[in-house]
Amino acid sequence: MAAAGFEPGYGHLSTTAEWDEYEWCWTGALTGWALTEARDDDRAAALELARTHRRQWLKGYRGQLGFLTVVLHDLR
């Protein structure tokens, strides 16, 4: 990273539980909006998007993909 002008100062690798929480919130919020607030013409598309994403996550990349947060200091 130093070659790119940055030095890491802190990092956090999310746990599986944190990643699951993020995914459930993402799909759950979209599902909730679709069922309670979406116009009729948006509801089906929003529910399909939430279902597709949830399926891809649970039957696909869950456990394969994580999330890393790094605080970088500018060396310049």
Side-chain angles (χ1 to χ4, degrees):
M1 284 189 221
F6 298 100
E7 188 68 32
Y10 174 80
H12 174 79
L13 183 60
S14 293
T15 65
T16 301
E18 290 169 325
W19 190 250
D20 285 349
E21 177 70 13
Y22 168 80
E23 291 288 355
W24 279 117
C25 287
W26 190 97
T27 57
L30 182 57
T31 299
W33 173 82
L35 295 173
T36 61
E37 298 180 43
R39 297 185 323 234
D40 289 341
D41 54 337
D42 291 331
R43 183 174 292 120
L47 287 172
E48 182 58 30
L49 178 61
R51 290 172 184 145
T52 298
H53 185 87
R54 189 180 312 111
R55 183 174 50 254
Q56 290 171 340
W57 158 52
L58 291 172
K59 296 186 179 203
Y61 65 86
R62 185 175 186 265
Q64 304 299 315
L65 183 64
F67 194 79
L68 171 66
T69 303
V70 179
V71 176
L72 299 174
H73 298 278
D74 191 342
L75 293 175
R76 297 177 190 157

